[in-house]
Amino acid sequence: MTYSEIWHRIATSYEDGEARAIARILIEELFGLSYTDIVCGATDQLSADDTLRLDTAVRRIEQGEPLQHVLGYADFCGNHFGVNASVLIPRPETEWLVDEGERLMNGASNAAPSAPKRILDIGTGSGCIAISLKLRLGEAYVEAWDISEEALRTAESNAKALKAEVAFCKRDALRAEESVAPWDLIVSNPPYICDSERADMDDNVLLHEPHTALFVPDDDPLRFYRAIARYALYSLSNGGSLLFECNTRYAEATGEMMREMGFEDVTVNDDCFGLPRFVKGSSPSQ
């Protein structure tokens, strides 16, 4: 089975350019072949077992299964994170939350020098944000919440594989109670796609990623942001930070909501594609 045959099969479900990229990544990851190997016909030299393995993988992609599910993992912040139907597939733009969280914590002066920073990730899914922050910030205490037990099991497995000590808890973001000990950073990528946007989404997302982690009602698109920001008002340390990933349609509205609630230094930030996707703010001065 040649590279051309593979990507042409995938192109029945994707644009040609994306099909070529998926085929290349699939072959590289499954067999450790370079792009030069691939275009020079290395797939023709695979054993019968490997050819069957490749054909099975291509069939799964033809049927709409995401590449990351076929491989069993997604890349995020330089690490492999196991993914399945219980969690969202980590997206590259979400790495901004980790980069900015690391920057804020390394520059924070609100905690005593001897006190580890306290970080909370709300709606952790695969654990990619919480685990990445723990790996970068070492001594920080990192806690991660999700309402899904299946997602928490996936996140715990990823933390174990990457040797990251994160405390995972089953908690409902809409019913969070004030924290006993304050957080220096609260970060969240909550559900934010409106129900009416389903028609514009690809089947490989709709059929293979958890709807509870994706969708919110059309009449209340900020429901999770409002609840989390309310919790953060009373649970952040003095000068602590709140970071959100948002629906690009509602990033400005999220920022305005945070300003009205009393957060300071609220900014809306673009993602790697130039779209307004992130909002950050600081707890009110005390």
Side-chain angles (χ1 to χ4, degrees), residues 190 192 221-229 244-247 254 257:
Y192 61 62
L222 301 186
R223 68 184 307 186
F224 284 95
Y225 298 94
R226 189 181 306 108
I228 293 168
F244 280 134
E245 179 170 333
C246 306
N247 186 326
T254 302
M257 178 199 72

Side-chain angles (χ1 to χ4, degrees), residues 66-85:
L67 172 64
Q68 293 87 347
H69 285 186
V70 175
L71 294 175
Y73 58 82
D75 287 325
F76 186 83
C77 287
N79 291 301
H80 286 344
F81 285 84
V83 293
N84 51 52

Side-chain angles (χ1 to χ4, degrees), residues 102-255:
E102 178 188 21
R103 187 189 70 79
L104 289 169
M105 291 301 92
N106 281 335
S109 58
N110 50 302
S114 59
K117 303 295 188 296
R118 289 175 48 82
I119 299 170
L120 173 63
D121 174 26
I122 299 180
T124 196
S126 67
C128 62
I129 296 170
I131 292 168
S132 297
L133 283 168
K134 177 62 179 179
L135 290 173
R136 292 190 184 187
L137 293 170
E139 294 301 315
Y141 171 79
V142 181
E143 189 169 306
W145 298 355
D146 207 288
I147 198 170
S148 165
E149 292 182 0
E150 293 84 0
L152 289 170
R153 282 194 289 269
T154 299
E156 289 170 346
S157 176
N158 282 327
K160 182 178 181 180
L162 293 169
K163 297 180 173 59
E165 187 176 343
V166 175
F168 293 101
C169 304
K170 184 179 180 181
R171 296 283 296 274
D172 185 349
L174 298 177
R175 295 174 176 81
E177 299 176 357
E178 183 177 348
S179 176
V180 175
W183 303 104
D184 298 297
L185 172 66
I186 296 176
V187 59
S188 184
N189 179 16
Y192 61 62
I193 300 173
C194 290
D195 285 326
S196 60
E197 297 179 77
R198 292 175 188 244
D200 299 324
M201 297 177 67
D202 294 333
D203 283 347
N204 63 341
V205 175
L206 287 173
L207 299 178
H208 297 281
E209 297 193 62
H211 287 199
T212 55
L214 289 169
F215 295 110
V216 289
D218 288 345
D219 61 356
D220 193 10
L222 301 186
R223 68 184 307 186
F224 284 95
Y225 298 94
R226 189 181 306 108
I228 293 168
R230 188 180 299 118
Y231 169 78
L233 273 177
Y234 301 103
S235 301
L236 280 172
S237 60
N238 185 28
S241 298
L242 174 61
L243 293 180
F244 280 134
E245 179 170 333
C246 306
N247 186 326
T248 58
R249 295 183 179 185
Y250 299 107
E252 293 293 344
T254 302

Side-chain angles (χ1 to χ4, degrees), residues 92-94 96 270-275 277-278:
E93 55 268 32
T94 302
W96 186 93
D270 289 348
D271 63 16
C272 52
F273 305 108
L275 299 173
R277 189 174 299 277
F278 305 105

Side-chain angles (χ1 to χ4, degrees), residues 3-62:
Y3 168 62
S4 179
E5 290 171 339
I6 294 166
W7 77 256
H8 274 99
R9 285 174 58 181
I10 295 173
T12 58
S13 303
Y14 294 88
E15 296 291 335
D16 284 0
E18 190 172 5
R20 290 174 186 267
I22 291 172
R24 175 180 56 77
I25 295 170
L26 179 67
I27 299 166
E28 288 177 346
E29 295 296 317
L30 287 180
F31 306 111
L33 297 172
S34 69
Y35 181 63
T36 300
D37 293 331
I38 294 168
V39 297
C40 289
T43 54
D44 286 336
Q45 310 303 317
L46 294 175
S47 67
D49 286 345
D50 282 343
T51 298
L52 178 60
R53 181 184 175 202
L54 178 58
D55 180 67
T56 300
V58 173
R59 286 180 185 276
R60 291 173 65 184
I61 293 172
E62 285 180 296

